[in-house]
Amino acid sequence: MIVVMKQGASQADVDHAVQRVRDLGLRPHVIVGTERTVIAAVGDERKTNKEALENAPGVSEVLPILAPYKVASREVKPEPTVVRALDFSAGTARVGVIAGPCSVESEEQVLKTARAVKQAGATALRGGAFKPRTSPYSFQGLKDVGLRILAAARQETGLAIVTEVVASEDVPLVAEYADVLQIGARNMQNYRLLEAVGETRRPVLLKRGPSATMDELLLAAEYILDRGNEQVMLCERGIRTFEAHTRFTLPLASIPYLHNKTHLPVVVDPSHGTGHSYLVPQMAAAAVAAGADALIVEVHPDPETALSDGYQSLNFEQFQRLMDCCRKVAEAIGRWL
Ligand code: PEP
Ligand code: MN
């Protein structure tokens, strides 16, 4: 439920209502908005007598949250959440751009890519050090060596580092190096992992599972939010359908849909979403047109020789052209890159 405070409610009133929520066996999340403060009270409400809370000082009303997800819901927080990491942001008029290789392969590969994507206007560098591969025989990533290479690229370029964490036990190590923790599509419903990143205060990029519904994606985000980490971005990266001409099917209606349901920023991954480099620039532009708050794009110095996802990676020149095109689209809708 949502405890809506009156406009002039004092801090003591808020603290009192928070304590009452705890007494009811619920977890309070205080959301200070521009107009009013609300307390999202989450947990099992069946045994609570919530009406009594309306009598607490400074409380305006107590409402049920209709959506199955609670803290992620727009009902609780109408204003968009802004996620920030160094110069990267998602959720403002500026569209964030995360670019880089699928996997960290070598220091030279990462540094070359970091310089090129920064030059083209990206504000964050992606690159997997721990790779969740479909086959156990495929390249699994450079792991801690890869993390140190990413940190060197941040040191030189100032780009924020976005990298995947695949297991709860790796969260402390990856969080030491990463500015944004990526939860991959395969792990969207790994609830212990979601709780572990929810315990950190690092921003999280949560990718949609290839067969997850929007409600399942939002409930996965809820696991992170419920642990007190409010810096969560949702990433549409394509879903599995009967259609085989693209690697996945990229449903761009997810962007306005999610904006309608949640305050969390929406990121689009046109690389995994299409699986073909020649489809990536137009789908990136379409995502910006549809209101994406950020893009995540695979870029490699020589896609032909990439150790993973080369077929969907752009070279530097193609990425530059993508940026030029997305910039124009962004300007047309009152945003910028
Ligand atoms: C990736 O970003 O390289 C990746 C593995 O993505 P996804 O989890 O969306 O498949
Ligand atoms: Mn990839």
Side-chain angles (χ1 to χ4, degrees):
M1 63 194 177
I2 322 175
V3 182
V4 182
M5 302 302 294
K6 289 182 183 150
Q7 249 177 2
S10 68
Q11 186 57 46
D13 294 340
V14 175
D15 294 344
H16 176 78
V18 162
Q19 191 48 51
R20 292 287 298 112
V21 166
R22 284 209 184 95
D23 295 344
L24 291 171
L26 302 172
R27 278 188 304 290
H29 291 267
V30 179
I31 295 140
V32 182
T34 43
E35 302 275 301
R36 50 173 205 185
T37 294
V38 304
I39 303 162
V42 296
D44 186 353
E45 290 179 26
R46 282 171 301 187
K47 292 190 244 40
T48 61
N49 173 17
K50 51 185 182 279
E51 286 72 25
L53 252 178
E54 284 195 338
N55 275 329
V59 170
S60 159
E61 55 186 336
V62 179
L63 305 165
I65 307 174
L66 299 175
Y69 37 90
K70 308 294 174 193
V71 190
S73 165
R74 273 244 184 228
E75 294 169 68
V76 164
K77 182 172 180 272
E79 306 98 70
T81 287
V82 178
V83 172
R84 293 181 199 280
L86 303 179
D87 282 343
F88 169 85
S89 64
T92 69
R94 183 179 192 185
V95 180
V97 180
I98 307 163
C102 178
S103 303
V104 173
E105 298 168 9
S106 70
E107 180 153 339
E108 192 199 353
Q109 171 236 19
V110 169
L111 284 176
K112 265 191 183 165
T113 311
R115 290 177 198 129
V117 301
K118 169 146 184 163
Q119 169 78 23
T123 44
L125 177 70
R126 61 151 291 146
F130 290 86
K131 291 303 298 177
R133 302 305 302 280
T134 302
S135 162
Y137 308 120
S138 302
F139 176 59
Q140 301 288 314
L142 296 182
K143 307 195 167 77
D144 50 329
V145 173
L147 293 175
R148 285 196 286 277
I149 292 174
L150 290 167
R154 171 182 48 214
Q155 174 80 19
E156 185 190 309
T157 60
L159 291 170
I161 301 300
V162 181
T163 195
E164 181 162 354
V165 56
V166 296
S168 335
E169 59 269 27
D170 296 338
V171 169
L173 173 71
V174 180
E176 207 181 295
Y177 291 92
D179 300 296
V180 176
L181 298 169
Q182 176 176 327
I183 299 292
R186 293 161 184 79
N187 270 319
M188 190 203 85
Q189 287 177 308
N190 180 341
Y191 298 118
R192 297 296 84 79
L193 178 59
L194 300 176
E195 285 167 357
V197 299
E199 293 293 341
T200 74
R201 290 301 171 264
R202 285 267 179 260
V204 176
L205 176 74
L206 176 63
K207 293 188 117 188
R208 178 184 189 179
S211 55
T213 63
M214 289 279 108
D215 274 5
E216 286 165 341
L217 171 63
L218 287 158
L219 283 164
E222 194 77 11
Y223 271 86
I224 305 169
L225 298 167
D226 191 41
R227 292 285 161 139
N229 188 347
E230 291 164 7
Q231 293 276 288
V232 179
M233 297 177 269
L234 304 171
C235 180
E236 177 56 81
R237 47 77 75 209
I239 53 172
R240 190 155 274 171
T241 67
F242 59 85
E243 183 53 78
H245 77 289
T246 49
R247 185 179 178 191
F248 293 97
T249 297
L250 185 62
L252 293 180
S254 304
I255 308 163
Y257 178 86
L258 286 169
H259 280 151
N260 188 259
K261 299 293 176 194
T262 178
H263 50 86
L264 299 174
V266 181
V267 182
V268 172
D269 177 345
S271 307
H272 293 85
T274 61
H276 298 282
S277 60
Y278 77 96
L279 297 175
V280 170
Q282 282 97 333
M283 293 313 283
V288 173
D293 298 297
L295 298 171
I296 178 165
V297 181
E298 288 187 335
V299 179
H300 194 283
D302 181 21
E304 234 180 272
T305 62
L307 293 182
S308 59
D309 288 355
Y311 43 81
Q312 66 191 31
S313 300
L314 303 182
N315 65 28
F316 299 161
E317 196 193 318
Q318 291 165 328
F319 180 66
Q320 178 67 60
R321 283 206 298 274
L322 174 152
M323 291 294 285
D324 294 343
C325 176
C326 286
R327 203 165 270 129
K328 288 188 194 132
V329 173
E331 276 158 21
I333 58 162
R335 299 182 83 168
W336 60 290
L337 293 185

